[in-house]
Amino acid sequence: MRLASTLLSALAASPALGHAVNKARARGADLSKAPGYKLEKVATTSSGLTGSLTLTGRALNAYGADIKQLDLLVEYQSPNRLHVHISDTAKKQFQIPSSTFPRPPTSTAAPSDSDLEFHSTDSAFSFWITRRSTSEVIFDTRNHPFVFSDQLLELTTSIPDKNDIYGPGEIVSSSGFRRNPTKDKTTMWNRDAASPTDENMYGSHPFYISSSPGGSFGVFLLNSHGMDMVTQDRTMKYNVLGGTFDFYFLSGPTPMDVIRQYSEVVGKPARMPFWAFGFHMCRWGGDWKTPEGVKGVIQKMKDAGVPFETVWSDLDYMDGLRNFEAKPEWRGDKYKGLVDQIHKNKQHYIPIVDPAIGFKGQNDKYQPQVLWPDWAANGTQQWWKESFDHYRETAKYDGIWLDKNEPANPQKGRDRPGGNINQKLNSPRYTIHHGTQLFWDGTISPSAKLADGFNHYHEHNIWGFEQNLATHKVLLEQTPGVRPFIITRSTSAGIGRVSGHWLGDNFSSWTSMKQSIQGVLQFQMFQIPMVGADAGGFLWDCTEELANRWMQLAAFTPFFRNHNAAGTKDQEPYRWKSVAEATKKALTARYQLLPYWETLFAQASKDGTPPVRPLVFEFPEPQYAGVEEQFLVGPNLLITPVLKEGGKSVKGFFPKDGGAWRDWFTHKALKVDDENQADIPTPLGNINVHIRPGSIFLIHSTPAYSLTDTRTSEYGIIISLNDVWAAKGTAILDDGLSTEGPETIVTFEVVAASKTLTIKSTGDYAGAPMMTEVTVLGAGEGDEEKVITGKLDLSRGGSVVW
């Protein structure tokens, strides 16, 4: 076994000093007595202004050393984005490096072109942001303390009276996807925690949308430190453990506009390989302990007729829980033979990689031979690449699963002696609302020194991001020109540029299934659209009814994987006949819709439009603001699942939109009441999927078992006419794998009562199959539908008349 050419020094795997429990909040220093700052030396620039902030009185030093001299930078970066950065003049506070988070460019537009305006007071400095077109105040720090110390930044803004709040996250909030503006909190300190309610968990995204029918705006704080964002009495308070106030304000005016504008700050989502939209499955333990056992599962899925696109390996392949090394039962031709068979079946393979690297001593011949990678150190990237190259000789994986990268340290509660720096960083005076007693519990010591001169304290929340960046680079080097596929647990702002996310360790419960919807919706906001929950639940035992309902729900989320823990009952779909049939029904629809999924994600990579969205983001009316048990896939598919045990029907909203919503499976028009609601009978084995009036879908009429074969099967078109017999749609076609390559954009349109579908194509991708069938819904009386057959090359465009 060869050793990597570069070995890294291990970071401390255990925290230093730290029996100080959460006493800082109890001490409760009165920050209203903070002296504040005076704004001086204001100078106008071509894009905004600069100024100096000077502490006006005796430092309070309540939760850290107050910084006496600050810099103010205001940039009108575009007509809809305003950048306000308050930083220490000495530049000693940590800021996320541009190599990790590239800053968005400033346009050449004049400040007067912006829909946002910056205002401030000179003495007792505060600032507020208004919308130029309406004079609405969207962010206002007046009449609240402003604190800037080395270990605590604090400011508070008012929340407009009629606005709802969506975000920040990641969180399983008892408020739901729409947050409570009068009493709520989000803590950001990435943490290994199994989906706790109202506590910090795997990701940190200090971004929220404030929305009302009159207009929406967004606020993003670029900062990697632990923090609390607390709403109380329609205010939002930031308490941040260091760094700078680096704000980006986004003018909207719709929620979808805000999300697209946010993508210009954090980056557009990564393109996904086509097979990522298939059904993934994994389990820890059970029949998955050995390669032969996994082969058996693959065959049983085939025998049951349930499409199975991607096989995942949990910890079972690892020798002593060590990455990149197979245990004896998996070594040699056993592991290689399994992966070769998977590829022969036109399936794909993904293994787990954990952050902690096992190390038994200096005589240990384990190839990587480190504890915790320091992503700032010279040689780390090369070492990471060599480790993966070594592993790939055994298992030719198609993607990578990065787990426990908050990073999670299983050795909780151990102390080591240390000096003042340990005490200061491991037990800061202000303690965020961390979900466990000790700030550093379950992770690397915050005082651990990094190669860039800072400490883990400053970079904890981006450790996983930097691991994802390193892994993404490795995959691009190993398979040049092919879209990498990475699913990560730990996330932070910007990580969607390279990775997707699964919602972590959840439970086999009806509550957890319902909560998965708010998780998927959060990450659409955060520009990490490839997201989903472990269908069926990871912990506890899944029942047949829950598996039936959850598998169908998850089939309409971007990332669809069934995964459960060691010690729980088996929950592969073939274990129950009813679940196998329900899964096949949902997967048939999902695979038919492959062109739609690919188009939604292609569009997201172009302009940040979220593939999945809540009803209120598409139909911004007050009655839809709290609707969180339904969601839209793209603009044109409305999903209304059964989320209650024993449920036989479900009630949902179906907004008036110039025609009838139609059932995807039966094509029947849905009748709604005066409040745009319908109570729909939904027997077990069924899920409600409705087509928006006036929409057109490109589909694969007869999907195959694998998505490789599905992509070559003939196209069909479904047209759901509105009341004036009009409809439109778009498809973006490419090879589904290349990072760059030819692309064709196809538009479909039926103008009012024309009885003609017009197809226009632009681009140079010509590898798509022929279109052979058009189904027109709403073209006659009642639920009558018309089917037109023939062959048409979409790359050339054309028309279809009925």
Side-chain angles (χ1 to χ4, degrees):
M1 184 183 301
R2 57 192 177 82
L3 293 174
S5 60
T6 304
L7 299 179
L8 304 182
S9 297
L11 293 180
S14 305
L17 280 176
H19 278 111
V21 186
N22 289 344
K23 295 178 180 178
R25 289 194 300 271
R27 289 199 293 268
D30 185 0
L31 294 181
S32 67
K33 296 179 180 179
Y37 289 81
K38 182 179 181 180
L39 176 60
E40 303 172 306
K41 301 178 182 177
V42 177
T44 301
T45 69
S46 61
S47 60
L49 61 88
T50 61
S52 296
L53 294 170
T54 304
L55 198 67
T56 58
R58 183 178 179 182
L60 183 63
N61 297 331
Y63 292 104
D66 291 342
I67 298 175
K68 295 181 179 180
Q69 199 69 42
L70 308 176
D71 290 340
L72 170 66
L73 172 66
V74 177
E75 294 180 299
Y76 292 88
Q77 293 189 332
S78 78
N80 52 47
R81 184 173 75 244
L82 175 62
H83 179 216
V84 177
H85 191 191
I86 303 171
S87 60
D88 58 311
T89 302
K91 299 298 182 283
K92 292 183 178 179
Q93 295 285 94
F94 177 78
Q95 297 182 42
I96 302 174
S98 58
S99 57
T100 300
F101 191 103
R103 303 310 194 261
T106 299
S107 73
T108 56
S112 59
D113 294 332
S114 175
D115 192 34
L116 299 176
E117 291 185 285
F118 174 86
H119 312 267
S120 65
T121 57
D122 293 342
S123 58
F125 171 76
S126 61
F127 71 93
W128 63 103
I129 311 296
T130 59
R131 191 191 300 277
R132 188 187 302 271
S133 57
T134 63
S135 299
E136 173 192 10
V137 178
I138 67 171
F139 195 88
D140 191 353
T141 71
R142 288 174 290 185
N143 303 314
H144 300 290
F146 178 83
V147 177
F148 202 114
S149 65
D150 61 343
Q151 284 193 272
L152 181 67
L153 313 182
E154 178 175 304
L155 63 74
T156 301
T157 176
S158 58
I159 297 173
D161 287 343
K162 296 182 180 180
N163 283 36
D164 291 315
I165 297 293
Y166 302 95
E170 177 183 12
I171 190 171
V172 176
S173 173
S174 57
S175 301
F177 176 61
R178 180 178 63 168
R179 306 296 292 280
N180 185 341
T182 62
K183 188 178 181 181
D184 208 337
K185 71 176 185 298
T186 305
T187 298
M188 279 164 256
W189 178 256
N190 292 3
R191 168 180 171 232
D192 177 5
S195 304
T197 301
D198 295 329
E199 293 182 4
N200 57 312
M201 45 192 302
Y202 310 114
S204 295
H205 300 271
F207 168 61
Y208 70 89
I209 295 175
S210 182
S211 181
S212 74
S216 302
F217 62 88
V219 180
F220 170 55
L221 174 62
L222 178 57
N223 190 302
S224 61
H225 292 77
M227 72 177 78
D228 288 330
M229 292 177 65
V230 180
T231 61
Q232 186 172 1
D233 299 328
R234 302 202 69 85
T235 65
M236 174 80 77
K237 179 187 288 186
Y238 292 82
N239 289 118
V240 191
L241 295 182
T244 66
F245 279 131
D246 198 355
F247 282 107
Y248 292 84
F249 300 96
L250 310 169
S251 68
T254 71
M256 297 289 282
D257 290 333
V258 173
I259 296 172
R260 283 187 281 262
Q261 291 158 11
Y262 184 57
S263 77
E264 296 171 0
V265 179
V266 300
K268 306 294 190 295
R271 292 295 298 270
M272 293 291 126
F274 74 87
W275 53 265
F277 299 104
F279 174 51
H280 306 253
M281 195 162 65
C282 179
R283 88 153 296 177
W284 178 18
D287 290 344
W288 299 66
K289 291 180 180 178
T290 65
E292 288 304 313
V294 176
K295 288 180 182 179
V297 170
I298 294 170
Q299 186 59 49
K300 289 172 185 174
M301 289 289 286
K302 182 74 172 178
D303 293 343
V306 182
F308 182 14
E309 185 70 20
T310 305
V311 181
W312 294 55
S313 284
D314 208 315
L315 301 173
D316 295 300
Y317 82 86
M318 292 183 181
D319 184 12
L321 301 180
R322 302 197 300 186
N323 294 314
F324 313 122
E325 295 297 328
K327 63 175 58 170
E329 302 94 306
W330 286 74
R331 289 176 190 161
D333 291 340
K334 297 175 185 177
Y335 200 171
K336 185 178 184 299
L338 168 64
V339 177
D340 288 347
Q341 182 62 49
I342 288 170
H343 290 150
K344 184 178 179 181
N345 295 344
K346 300 179 182 178
Q347 295 170 305
H348 299 83
Y349 176 70
I350 296 177
I352 194 172
V353 173
D354 278 350
I357 312 294
F359 178 54
K360 296 180 179 178
Q362 295 301 321
N363 295 323
D364 187 7
K365 300 301 182 183
Y366 177 47
Q367 188 256 355
Q369 208 167 15
V370 298
L371 291 180
W372 299 92
D374 178 356
W375 306 110
N378 291 331
T380 302
Q381 182 68 48
Q382 180 63 26
W383 162 80
W384 197 239
K385 170 71 159 52
E386 290 178 7
S387 297
F388 274 97
D389 286 348
H390 164 73
Y391 182 35
R392 194 170 174 80
E393 293 174 2
T394 300
K396 194 175 180 181
Y397 44 77
D398 299 287
I400 292 295
W401 173 18
L402 297 175
D403 189 15
K404 301 185 77 68
N405 51 345
E406 291 69 40
N409 176 12
Q411 298 192 40
K412 297 183 178 182
R414 276 178 49 189
D415 296 329
R416 290 188 180 190
N420 292 334
I421 185 65
N422 292 332
Q423 178 65 31
K424 179 179 178 181
L425 298 179
N426 291 343
S427 300
R429 294 186 209 171
Y430 178 88
T431 305
I432 57 176
H433 291 78
H434 188 38
T436 57
Q437 265 196 337
L438 301 174
F439 171 59
W440 42 258
D441 199 11
T443 190
I444 298 173
S445 170
S447 60
K449 196 75 171 179
L450 305 178
D452 60 7
F454 288 95
N455 304 87
H456 186 72
Y457 173 95
H458 306 289
E459 304 184 42
H460 172 82
N461 286 343
I462 58 171
W463 194 95
F465 188 2
E466 292 178 335
Q467 181 203 36
N468 275 260
L469 290 173
T471 306
H472 185 263
K473 186 175 181 180
V474 167
L475 296 185
L476 279 176
E477 291 174 352
Q478 289 182 332
T479 53
V482 177
R483 298 171 195 172
F485 184 64
I486 303 170
I487 292 293
T488 177
R489 193 171 76 175
S490 175
T491 64
S492 56
I495 203 171
R497 292 188 285 112
V498 295
S499 301
H501 171 62
W502 101 103
L503 296 172
D505 295 351
N506 59 358
F507 298 89
S508 294
S509 71
W510 294 88
T511 297
S512 203
M513 178 173 69
K514 178 182 175 181
Q515 289 171 338
S516 72
I517 297 175
Q518 68 164 283
V520 170
L521 294 177
Q522 280 182 38
F523 280 89
Q524 306 304 303
M525 282 178 49
F526 301 152
Q527 291 296 331
I528 310 172
M530 178 52 77
V531 63
D534 280 344
F538 178 69
L539 301 165
W540 303 351
D541 293 333
C542 190
T543 66
E544 180 176 358
E545 182 187 1
L546 179 60
N548 193 308
R549 294 296 193 192
W550 202 334
M551 289 294 286
Q552 291 200 315
L553 164 62
F556 294 94
T557 62
F559 178 54
F560 181 18
R561 184 182 72 170
N562 180 313
H563 175 224
N564 60 315
T568 62
K569 291 183 178 179
D570 298 315
Q571 62 184 44
E572 297 93 343
Y574 61 78
R575 301 287 178 177
W576 304 277
K577 183 177 180 180
S578 75
V579 177
E581 293 303 313
T583 304
K584 282 192 288 185
K585 180 177 181 177
L587 275 173
T588 297
R590 182 181 176 93
Y591 283 23
Q592 285 179 319
L593 285 162
L594 178 61
Y596 188 59
W597 281 111
E598 290 192 81
T599 296
L600 293 173
F601 273 77
Q603 192 63 49
S605 73
K606 294 175 186 295
D607 67 6
T609 298
V612 177
R613 68 275 316 241
L615 208 58
V616 70
F617 283 11
E618 191 71 29
F619 300 94
E621 301 172 28
Q623 65 266 38
Y624 305 132
V627 177
E628 300 176 10
E629 297 186 0
Q630 294 176 274
F631 60 93
L632 287 153
V633 176
N636 295 327
L637 275 184
L638 180 54
I639 315 301
T640 310
V642 173
L643 299 171
K644 295 180 180 178
E645 186 174 13
K648 298 295 190 293
S649 66
V650 62
K651 193 171 187 177
F653 281 95
F654 298 86
K656 289 181 180 178
D657 198 40
W661 293 79
R662 294 180 177 273
D663 186 286
W664 175 267
F665 301 100
T666 68
H667 296 169
K668 290 183 178 180
L670 183 69
K671 294 181 180 180
V672 299
D673 61 22
D674 293 340
E675 296 180 346
N676 300 333
Q677 288 185 290
D679 197 341
I680 313 168
T682 314
L684 195 63
N686 293 274
I687 185 170
N688 300 296
V689 180
H690 285 89
I691 303 170
R692 186 175 182 173
S695 58
I696 299 177
F697 293 87
L698 180 67
I699 67 167
H700 289 290
S701 300
T702 308
Y705 189 81
S706 75
L707 287 187
T708 299
D709 289 338
T710 294
R711 279 192 116 247
T712 63
S713 67
E714 294 174 338
Y715 283 137
I717 291 176
I718 294 179
I719 302 172
S720 184
L721 297 172
N722 62 17
D723 287 344
V724 297
W725 282 25
K728 61 182 179 180
T730 301
I732 301 175
L733 310 178
D734 61 21
D735 68 4
L737 287 174
S738 300
T739 53
E740 296 181 7
E743 174 185 89
T744 292
I745 299 177
V746 187
T747 60
F748 308 92
E749 186 171 14
V750 178
V751 298
S754 67
K755 296 187 179 181
T756 301
L757 168 66
T758 301
I759 303 170
K760 297 180 180 180
S761 298
T762 57
D764 50 7
Y765 176 68
M770 298 293 286
M771 188 274 291
T772 61
E773 182 178 278
V774 176
T775 301
V776 185
L777 311 179
E781 297 293 329
D783 290 319
E784 180 183 345
E785 60 185 63
K786 294 186 177 182
V787 179
I788 304 99
T789 59
K791 287 192 174 183
L792 190 148
D793 183 349
L794 291 180
S795 65
R796 298 182 178 181
S799 62
V800 178
V801 180
W802 64 90

